[in-house]
Structures are given as C-alpha cells and as structure tokens.
Amino acid sequence: MTKRTLFTGFERIATMDAGGRELTGGYVLVEGNRIADVGEDARVIAADDVVRGAGRVLLPGFVNTHHHLYQSLFRNVPGASEAKLFDWLAFLYERWKGLGEDAMRVASTVACSELLLSGATTTTDHCYLYPKDGGNILAADIEGAERAGIRFHPCRGSMSLSKKDGGLPPDAVVQTEQEILADSRRMIERYHDPEPFAMLRIALAPCSPFSVNADLMRESAKLADETGALLHTHLAETRDEEAYCLRRFGMRPVDLMEELGWLRDDAWFAHLVVLNDADVVKLSAARVGMAHCPSSNMTLGSGIARVAEMKDTGVKIGLGVDGSASNDTSNMIREVRQAMLLQRVRYGADALSAREALKMATMGGAQVLHREGEIGSIEVGKGADLIAFDLNDVAFAGAHADPIAAIVHCAADRVDLAMVNGEWRVRDGRLVDESILDLVPLHNRLSRELIGAG
Ligand SMILES: [Zn+2]
C-alpha cells in the first residue's frame, strides 16, 4: 500500500496555483510521491501519518534557478568581497582552479542542505569549473546533491576561451570544445532522466559570452535539439559584459544570443540586468526563461534587473540565489524577500508584492525548468514537494493578519518542514539526515586550503 500523509490544521495553505487559491484550515493529502487531494475539510480523510501545522504556512517547495554549488567553498573571501564582476572573477579563478571532485561532493551536499533548510526543494547547479586535475566534477556534484535529497538540475557548464584567446579565465580551467561536447553528451546519456517527476535532469550551459567560443554556443544548441536537454548561461549581467560583447562581437549580449540561435523557450539566462527595450521585446517573443538573482546583483553592484516591467511579458521569471561567492548565502526564502525589496528600490512600493515574489520562486521557477506540470504548486497530481514555515516565533508576532505575506515581509529564514518527492528532508526545522552536519568541519578545512592556495 502506498503511504498516505495528511497535512492539516495549517494556519494557511498557499497553493500558488493559477487562481492563487489559499486555504484556511484546509488539507493536502500526499500518496507516495504525489499530491492526491487538496480540500477544505480533512475530517473524513484516513492517512498513515498526520502532520498538524498549527501556526504554520504550507507552500509548494521553491525552485532555485541559478547556483554554483562549489562556491560554498569560496564564501566571504577577503579580496573578492568588494570587487565588481570582472575583477572578482580574475581574483577567484586563481583559487577556483584547485577544485577537485572530493571538495565538489562535500560542497554540493552542504549547499543543497542549506537550500532545503531555506525552502528550495528543486535546484539547478551551473557547474562550469573543470580544473585539469579535478577528476569528474559533475559526477561528484550529482552524488553530493543525491545525498542531500534535493530535486536536481545540474548543468554541464563549460569554459573554452582562456586569457590567451581573449577570454577571462586562465588556461588551467578551460577545456577544448571537443572535450566539452563529448563529456556533455556522455553526462546526458548517463544521467538525464526525461520521465515525469524525475529527480535528475541535465542541462547544457556554456558559462558566458566572455568565457566560451561562439561555436560552442551553437553546438550546445544543436545538442539540446538532439537530446531534449535545456540550455542555460549567464547573460547581460553587467555593463562591462555589454562593452566586451560590443568590442569582441560588434553586438550587444541579447543580439549575440539571437545570432547564435539561443533565443528559444528551452533556454534560460541568469541575470538579464543590462537590457534595453528592444532586448526585452526579443526575449519576450522567444519566451525565454530568466533566473533573477537580486542578492548577487547587489553584492557585485551589477544593477537592478527590470523584473517589475518584465513580469507580464512572455519571459518566464524564476529566482536564483546564485553562487555563494557572490551571495555568501544560499538562502532561498531570503532571496524571495530581496527580490521584492530590490524592485521597490527601482520602481516604487507597488513594484512587486510578497505573493508575486513567491510566485516567481515557485511556479516561475518550475516554468523556467519546463516542469510546471509536475512541481511549483500544490495541485492534485503534482509532485509532493512541500515546505512549511513556523510563524510561532517572535519574528512573526503581530503579523498574522496575512500569514503568507508574513514569511516574506517578516524575513523567515528557515523552514519547519521540507518534503521532496514524498520523502522527508527537514522536520522540526532540522535536517532529517543530521550526519550531513558532520561534513561542515571538513568543508571548512577544504575551503581554507583552496582559498589559501590562490
Ligand atoms: Zn552565476
């Protein structure tokens, strides 16, 4: 018999479905790894396990659309913390090049656990760093995330254009186009699961216009056509990138992507900060995805993305914490708050509501990853990816007139529970597998060694 778990007695349930349905005193029934029922009155429902949520808010799990999990090893690095993107990269490449598969595996488990504790039940990882003696970084990344138990979309990233060829990264971290494409194909064949409710899907992700050859972008798009993998890259992050593209290619970043055949609905771009009106029209017409990363954009002083203007266009907008070298935290619910606040700095107090920011973190992210039929909302037939926040805390005293907005406005930072694909990952605010915490001292030691080696 499939196990049935009943969630009931929650202060509020935010389904994040198309109609924005919110339930007071309703229930959600999970059978196995799916949501079997959602309703108002739980009295007649039989279940093996009953989860009572007094003073708690239940939501669909968040979808983190941009990250570099290895960067939890490079947080808060003196010398990088006050630099803008190109200087920041030049400084960190020298430290990143020491990354190996053992450190990657540890970083992936630790970073995914931090995501789970802050509400993400699905994450991407733009994994683009393959140092010469590093071993199989992407396989280690996947093993690390599997241990944490998160739904995972690792991207086979790549860098092929080193300093000597006019790019930004040093030779030690770039690979040839042939190596990259062969390994990309190998990783898709080995790991990519196209089935509904898959826990693991691979995407293809040349790092950025200033670290790969144009040809690799074109070939990656062809491989995506052939395999069904999604496409991802960094785009239009800073004014410096815009100047670089104009100098090197004679066109701005979005025009370059159009030229390379990347303006398509199975591609999603991190950042999209430096856009003109024509760019927005093109991105919207192509129905591309966007990973909006407000904390990273603020840390690097990159600017404020035009999210409030783009939210009603064809662009699918999700949120991303980005790597911990440019955010210093991988906290998903804090990112929701940052997204809301940063838009208000540029566009005023009505630019983005708490619910709109939560929508981006849930259905928005699911749409970016083409998984809107499986995750991103609490609806019958969807995957059992559920989170709850406990409002029985001093931080929420007086905020219960609108408990759903409260988790954003009053700065929730940790979930009370997280279920992924029907499996418990967090209960009572703690990881179910607490042995993961034993990795933290090892992670710290690896981090010290890598930073010190630069
Ligand atoms: Zn990034």
Side-chain angles (χ1 to χ4, degrees):
M1 266 281 284
T2 311
K3 188 176 175 192
R4 289 158 61 95
T5 305
L6 181 68
F7 296 79
T8 186
F10 283 74
E11 183 159 336
R12 204 66 52 89
I13 298 171
T15 68
M16 308 310 290
D17 69 6
R21 184 181 184 204
E22 295 176 1
L23 301 168
T24 304
Y27 70 91
V28 175
L29 178 68
V30 167
E31 275 183 8
N33 68 344
R34 313 282 170 89
I35 294 168
D37 196 7
V38 181
E40 302 280 352
D41 185 357
R43 276 175 300 184
V44 294
I45 308 277
D48 305 297
D49 190 11
V50 178
V51 180
R52 296 187 193 283
R56 290 163 175 77
V57 173
L58 188 70
L59 298 114
F62 298 142
V63 179
N64 177 41
T65 56
H66 188 63
H67 207 326
H68 311 290
L69 296 174
Y70 80 91
Q71 288 184 6
S72 65
L73 296 157
F74 299 93
R75 282 180 166 164
N76 185 38
V77 178
S81 296
E82 280 78 37
K84 62 180 186 167
L85 181 67
F86 282 12
D87 299 331
W88 175 90
L89 282 168
F91 181 87
L92 285 170
Y93 282 139
E94 295 303 320
R95 285 139 186 93
W96 291 346
K97 68 187 185 189
L99 183 75
E101 59 184 20
D102 293 339
M104 179 72 246
R105 194 177 297 107
V106 172
S108 175
T109 304
V110 169
C112 287
S113 299
E114 186 182 3
L115 286 168
L116 284 163
L117 284 165
S118 60
T121 51
T122 297
T123 190
T124 59
D125 182 24
H126 191 172
C127 183
Y128 59 79
L129 188 70
Y130 299 88
K132 297 257 182 278
D133 302 316
N136 195 335
I137 297 284
L138 190 60
D141 187 20
I142 290 168
E143 282 170 33
E146 278 176 347
R147 176 163 178 198
I150 202 160
R151 206 182 286 279
F152 199 34
H153 283 240
C155 310
R156 205 305 180 179
S158 51
M159 296 195 286
S160 63
L161 192 70
S162 75
K163 249 190 277 190
K164 68 172 172 11
D165 299 317
L168 221 55
D171 280 354
V173 295
V174 303
Q175 297 177 297
T176 66
E177 193 178 314
Q178 291 73 17
E179 278 177 286
I180 291 162
L181 289 167
D183 191 53
S184 298
R185 187 180 289 279
R186 210 163 31 237
M187 297 313 275
I188 290 170
E189 283 168 1
R190 166 112 197 253
Y191 292 107
H192 185 73
D193 180 359
E195 295 299 316
F197 305 101
M199 288 294 286
L200 183 60
R201 283 191 191 159
I202 308 284
L204 296 167
C207 191
S208 65
F210 49 85
S211 58
V212 302
N213 300 304
D215 201 36
L216 181 59
M217 287 281 186
R218 281 198 199 91
E219 290 301 316
S220 298
K222 281 189 205 155
L223 190 55
D225 287 337
E226 197 188 314
T227 59
L230 301 183
L231 290 166
H232 181 45
T233 192
H234 294 97
L235 197 73
E237 182 172 358
T238 64
R239 290 268 167 223
D240 288 346
E241 178 192 328
E242 185 183 55
Y244 177 94
C245 287
L246 284 168
R247 205 167 53 239
R248 187 176 171 89
F249 304 105
M251 56 186 105
R252 303 176 63 258
V254 170
D255 296 331
L256 174 66
M257 284 295 124
E258 184 179 36
E259 174 90 5
L260 296 173
W262 269 62
L263 294 194
R264 38 195 279 174
D265 89 325
D266 58 353
W268 88 100
F269 301 103
H271 303 303
L272 296 178
V273 172
V274 183
L275 300 178
N276 64 24
D277 292 346
D279 293 335
V280 174
V281 170
K282 281 183 181 179
L283 295 167
S284 172
R287 305 193 68 80
V288 304
M290 169 180 184
H292 174 47
C293 307
S295 295
S296 172
N297 296 157
M298 284 189 270
T299 298
L300 293 168
S302 303
I304 305 175
R306 299 170 63 174
V307 170
E309 295 174 74
M310 292 165 72
K311 68 187 180 189
D312 296 320
T313 69
V315 178
K316 298 166 286 197
I317 306 177
L319 299 184
V321 298
D322 204 356
S324 285
S326 66
N327 183 335
D328 303 301
T329 163
S330 298
N331 189 299
M332 197 61 198
I333 181 62
R334 282 191 200 143
E335 205 64 30
V336 176
R337 188 166 192 265
Q338 296 284 42
M340 179 186 79
L341 295 179
L342 187 59
Q343 288 305 300
R344 294 179 181 205
V345 172
R346 179 163 177 170
Y347 296 100
D350 60 353
L352 201 70
S353 69
R355 280 176 176 74
E356 285 176 312
L358 287 167
K359 190 94 183 168
M360 287 174 187
T362 52
M363 274 307 282
Q367 285 163 348
V368 166
L369 297 183
H370 286 221
R371 304 203 68 171
E372 64 271 25
E374 305 160 75
I375 56 173
S377 62
I378 298 178
E379 293 180 84
V380 174
K382 283 208 165 180
D385 290 10
L386 299 167
I387 57 172
F389 292 92
D390 184 355
L391 307 192
N392 297 298
D393 184 83
V394 287
F396 303 98
H400 291 255
D402 184 348
I404 291 165
I407 63 173
V408 184
H409 284 289
C410 307
D413 72 348
R414 196 178 180 99
V415 295
D416 178 58
L417 64 83
M419 175 179 266
V420 184
N421 206 39
E423 301 283 339
W424 286 113
R425 298 300 175 200
V426 179
R427 294 297 302 262
D428 300 322
R430 304 175 72 90
L431 292 172
V432 170
D433 178 3
E434 289 210 300
S435 73
I436 287 171
L437 298 177
D438 297 338
L439 292 175
V440 175
L442 171 61
H443 182 281
N444 291 342
R445 184 168 60 72
L446 291 164
S447 173
R448 269 196 303 277
E449 286 169 8
L450 285 161
I451 292 168

